[in-house]
C-alpha cells in the first residue's frame, strides 16, 4: 500500500478530491450590534452565502442585495470560520478569525438550518484542509511522483 492509499483509501483520490462547496444559505437574521457599553441592540439584516467569494455577506435588506453592484455592509469569510454554536432561543454565534458574531433567526427551525449547514461546511473544509496538507507533503517528498509511475 502506498502513501496516498494510506491517507485516502484510493490511490487516484488526489486527482478527484475537490474543495467543498459553500452552503446555499440566505435569509433575514438579526445581528447583535455591539456598542462600547455593556449592551447592544439587534438589527435585522439580510444574509447570504456568496459561493464566488466564499463569504457570508450581509446587507441592510434583500432589495439592497439585488443592486448592481451589491455592496454588503459586512462579510464573514468562510475560510476563517472556526466554530458555529447555538446560543439561546433562536440565537447562535459564528466565530471567524478574531470576530464573534451573534445572530438570531426568526424560528428555531431556521436557526438549526444555519447551524447545521455551516457546521457541515466547516467539517468538510477541515477534512479537505487536512487532506490537502498531506497531499502537499507527499508532493514535496516526491512520493506522489513514485505513485504516478506505478501502474
Amino acid at each position: 500500500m502506498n502513501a496516498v492509499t494510506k491517507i485516502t483509501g484510493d490511490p487516484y483520490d488526489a486527482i478527484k478530491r475537490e474543495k467543498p462547496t459553500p452552503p446555499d444559505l440566505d435569509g433575514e437574521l438579526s445581528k447583535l450590534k455591539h456598542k462600547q457599553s455593556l449592551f447592544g441592540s439587534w438589527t435585522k439584516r439580510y444574509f447570504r452565502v456568496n459561493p464566488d467569494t466564499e463569504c457570508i455577506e450581509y446587507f441592510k435588506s434583500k432589495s439592497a442585495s439585488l443592486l448592481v453592484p451589491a455592496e454588503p455592509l459586512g462579510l464573514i469569510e468562510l475560510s476563517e470560520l472556526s466554530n458555529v454554536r447555538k446560543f439561546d432561543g433562536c440565537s447562535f454565534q459564528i466565530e471567524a478569525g478574531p470576530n464573534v458574531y451573534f445572530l438570531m433567526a426568526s424560528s428555531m427551525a431556521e436557526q438549526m438550518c444555519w447551524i447545521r449547514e455551516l457546521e457541515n461546511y466547516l467539517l468538510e473544509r477541515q477534512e479537505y484542509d487536512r487532506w490537502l496538507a498531506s497531499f502537499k507533503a507527499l508532493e514535496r517528498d516526491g512520493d506522489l511522483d513514485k505513485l504516478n509511475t506505478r501502474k
Side-chain angles (χ1 to χ4, degrees), residues 9 32 35 48 51 60 62 75 95 113 124 131 136 145:
L32 185 62
K35 296 185 179 181
R48 71 174 181 201
K60 188 170 186 174
K62 184 172 184 174
L75 50 90
E95 296 174 22
C113 179
E124 288 175 13
W131 171 84
K136 287 181 177 182
D145 293 332

Side-chain angles (χ1 to χ4, degrees), residues 1-7 10-11 143 147 150:
M1 186 180 296
N2 59 48
V4 173
T5 305
K6 287 179 185 175
I7 294 169
D10 179 355
D143 290 338
L147 172 68
R150 294 181 187 165

Side-chain angles (χ1 to χ4, degrees), residues 3-150:
V4 173
T5 305
K6 287 179 185 175
I7 294 169
T8 66
D10 179 355
Y12 299 104
D13 205 28
I15 298 166
K16 296 186 286 189
R17 186 68 61 116
E18 292 183 13
K19 191 174 183 180
T21 304
D24 183 19
L25 288 169
D26 74 306
E28 190 174 84
L29 299 170
S30 294
K31 178 181 173 292
L32 185 62
K33 181 179 179 180
H34 291 285
K35 296 185 179 181
Q36 291 186 351
S37 68
L38 295 174
F39 303 100
S41 60
W42 294 95
T43 54
K44 287 192 178 191
R45 297 287 180 238
Y46 175 74
F47 286 77
R48 71 174 181 201
V49 174
N50 183 329
D52 297 327
T53 61
E54 296 187 4
C55 291
I56 301 172
E57 302 171 330
Y58 55 94
F59 301 84
K60 188 170 186 174
S61 64
K62 184 172 184 174
S63 59
S65 74
L66 301 173
L67 297 174
V68 178
E71 292 292 328
L73 294 173
L75 50 90
I76 303 168
E77 292 187 38
L78 291 174
S79 63
E80 293 186 358
L81 184 66
S82 60
N83 200 1
V84 182
R85 71 178 84 175
K86 183 177 178 4
F87 193 60
D88 63 358
C90 295
S91 303
F92 60 102
Q93 77 181 47
I94 296 175
E95 296 174 22
N99 301 311
V100 178
Y101 301 87
F102 290 94
L103 305 173
M104 183 170 42
S106 60
S107 69
M108 292 185 84
E110 184 180 21
Q111 172 208 46
M112 290 311 298
C113 179
W114 278 87
I115 291 172
R116 183 182 61 248
E117 292 295 322
L118 291 173
E119 282 178 338
N120 287 343
Y121 175 77
L122 178 59
L123 290 171
E124 288 175 13
R125 200 195 74 230
Q126 289 170 339
E127 181 181 311
Y128 175 80
D129 290 347
R130 282 191 300 273
W131 171 84
L132 187 59
S134 297
F135 181 75
K136 287 181 177 182
L138 288 172
E139 195 172 47
R140 180 189 66 237
D141 297 341
D143 290 338
L144 196 59
D145 293 332
K146 293 175 194 171
L147 172 68
N148 289 332
T149 59
R150 294 181 187 165

